[in-house]
Amino acid sequence: MDDIRLNVALLRRKVPNLTSAAKSIGIRPATVSNLCTGKIDLGKAEVRTLVGLATLANCSVDDLIIRGEKLNMIETKIKTLDFFAPLVKGGTTGLVARPGMGQVVILAELMHRFKESDYTTVFLLPTTNHPELEGTTELADIVTATIDETFSKLTSQNGDVIFISDKSFNASGELLDLQERLVAERVQNITTILVDLSGEAVDEEMPYGPLETLWQLDADLATRHQYPAIHPIYSTSSILEGIDLDQRHFNLRQRAQKLLRRYRELRSVVAVHGIEKIPAVELETYNLGERLEAYFTQPLFVAAAYTGQQGKAVSMSQTLQDVEHILDGEADHLSVEELKYRGNLVL
């Protein structure tokens, strides 16, 4: 039962309004979301949940389960994305954030980085005007204005494609129609990133439907200018089920999240009562968490003109090595400020 996962793409196509549909048969949307992104091991899911989802999708439980097919990640060389919530090749990723938290900058950075790769980026413009996109859409290799134009461009690409779309097309059902047409044409080289420029997704359960990867931005990190401000606990990916992920990565991520959860609790105490109220035995956890959080900040290439800092690219293998050093206390001689906005760790 280990080598199985949910057929998210099928569920996405077959059940457009999954949130309300799941609720109607007594399945919590959060449960569905966690099954899709791998927070809940499919092998431990309740049978009635799987039967219910199969009923909604009008398919068999067997159709809903993929066995033995390995997921692959697309390395962005953005530390916090690759470490906490890897981008799944061929999957659908959703960005959840309120306006002003940096999601457009992340999109711009990804498009900038993919220009140096074998991926072609296609950006479907939202139907309403968004001034914050000025200077961003130009970074895409192809910009489209309609679903039909997008279909034409996507089907004409021979190599791998990163397709970016606004949530409005998802809500209208047009995106699902597009995906059905692409499936009919046997187009399988597309990785989709969905963004919500309205900021409403933060208050919705499963705002994009089933996802392979969820990137949730953290208001606290953004307020403290700890960018890219990816939430290290809530952001997740189906590639993290343990089947497809390197075991070392899996273990380090678990250690890092456990530390950061406790660190965040201690931060709340410090904010109200001061650091002297933290028990001596917890002070090491607080200091370690502060260092690790600082390490996951990163200069972005597209922001260099505003920050004065040249962008940094850090490989996944280097990030794993750095996180291991920090967790093992080998970076304790470095201050928090020395760890902020750098690329790789230099001990």
Side-chain angles (χ1 to χ4, degrees):
M1 287 292 286
D2 285 338
D3 203 5
I4 62 172
R5 61 185 174 84
L6 200 63
N7 191 337
V8 178
L10 177 68
L11 194 59
R12 185 175 181 79
R13 295 198 313 273
K14 296 289 188 180
V15 195
N17 300 309
L18 185 60
T19 304
S20 54
K23 284 181 178 176
S24 71
I25 61 170
I27 301 175
R28 293 176 63 241
T31 300
V32 182
S33 177
N34 289 338
L35 282 170
C36 290
T37 56
K39 275 193 173 180
I40 295 177
D41 185 340
L42 189 59
K44 298 176 182 175
E46 292 186 15
V47 173
R48 70 175 187 87
T49 299
L50 296 179
V51 170
L53 290 175
T55 302
L56 291 175
N58 193 26
C59 68
S60 69
V61 172
D62 274 350
D63 291 334
L64 208 56
I65 295 173
I66 297 176
R67 293 176 171 84
E69 188 176 311
K70 185 175 175 63
L71 292 173
N72 293 306
M73 72 173 282
I74 298 175
E75 192 171 331
T76 67
K77 297 189 177 180
I78 299 174
K79 296 180 288 188
T80 187
L81 294 184
D82 293 344
F83 185 80
F84 289 110
L87 183 60
V88 177
K89 185 175 182 179
T92 300
T93 294
L95 249 171
V96 175
R98 296 197 187 281
M101 290 173 64
Q103 61 177 335
V104 174
V105 177
I106 290 173
L107 285 180
E109 182 70 13
L110 289 171
M111 289 190 289
H112 171 84
R113 289 173 183 242
F114 286 132
K115 281 191 181 296
E116 305 298 319
S117 72
D118 296 328
Y119 289 88
T120 299
T121 54
V122 178
F123 197 115
L124 172 58
L125 294 172
T127 52
T128 54
N129 183 43
H130 287 276
E132 67 270 31
L133 288 179
E134 185 178 345
T136 297
T137 53
E138 295 93 292
L139 292 166
D141 296 312
I142 299 170
V143 178
T144 59
T146 67
I147 289 290
D148 285 340
E149 183 187 4
T150 305
F151 177 75
S152 175
K153 295 295 185 183
L154 292 177
T155 51
S156 65
Q157 302 303 311
N158 293 322
D160 291 311
V161 176
I162 304 291
F163 169 51
I164 300 170
S165 173
D166 179 62
K167 177 177 176 285
S168 58
F169 290 101
N170 191 58
S172 68
E174 293 173 278
L175 193 61
L176 291 167
D177 292 339
L178 173 63
Q179 290 173 327
E180 285 283 11
R181 291 168 67 185
L182 292 170
V183 169
E185 292 291 322
R186 299 184 183 276
V187 177
Q188 298 178 318
N189 60 336
I190 298 169
T191 300
T192 303
I193 298 176
L194 301 177
V195 62
D196 173 36
L197 296 170
S198 72
E200 295 170 356
V202 176
D203 302 313
E204 299 176 20
E205 289 186 289
M206 294 191 72
Y208 301 111
L211 295 169
E212 275 85 2
T213 301
L214 172 68
W215 291 337
Q216 182 151 332
L217 270 63
D218 181 30
D220 177 56
L221 288 175
T223 300
R224 294 188 285 120
H225 305 289
Q226 303 272 64
Y227 294 109
I230 294 291
H231 200 299
I233 312 300
Y234 297 153
S235 300
T236 190
S237 168
S238 57
I239 212 167
L240 296 166
E241 293 177 35
I243 306 162
D244 305 301
L245 194 68
D246 171 76
Q247 193 61 43
R248 180 179 174 225
H249 185 170
F250 182 79
N251 293 339
L252 283 171
R253 182 177 178 271
Q254 284 195 314
R255 286 179 65 191
Q257 286 189 319
K258 181 180 179 181
L259 172 70
L260 290 172
R261 277 193 190 95
R262 185 55 185 153
Y263 163 69
R264 283 168 167 252
E265 292 168 355
L266 294 172
R267 266 191 63 81
S268 301
V269 174
V270 171
V272 177
H273 303 290
I275 199 163
E276 62 275 5
K277 290 296 182 181
I278 294 182
V281 292
E282 295 270 41
L283 198 54
E284 183 181 353
T285 299
Y286 181 85
N287 290 333
L288 208 55
E290 196 174 26
R291 283 187 175 86
L292 187 60
E293 183 182 78
Y295 168 77
F296 279 115
T297 59
Q298 186 170 343
L300 303 180
F301 292 102
V302 297
Y306 305 98
T307 64
Q309 293 177 297
Q310 183 60 31
K312 301 289 185 182
V314 184
S315 69
M316 183 73 262
S317 59
Q318 182 67 56
T319 299
L320 294 180
Q321 182 177 303
D322 290 349
V323 171
E324 192 166 44
H325 284 318
I326 293 170
L327 291 174
D328 290 344
E330 294 172 27
D332 286 358
H333 62 286
L334 297 173
S335 70
V336 171
E337 289 304 314
E338 286 176 308
L339 287 165
K340 279 184 184 177
Y341 290 103
R342 63 190 302 159
N344 59 292
L345 193 62
V346 179
L347 296 175

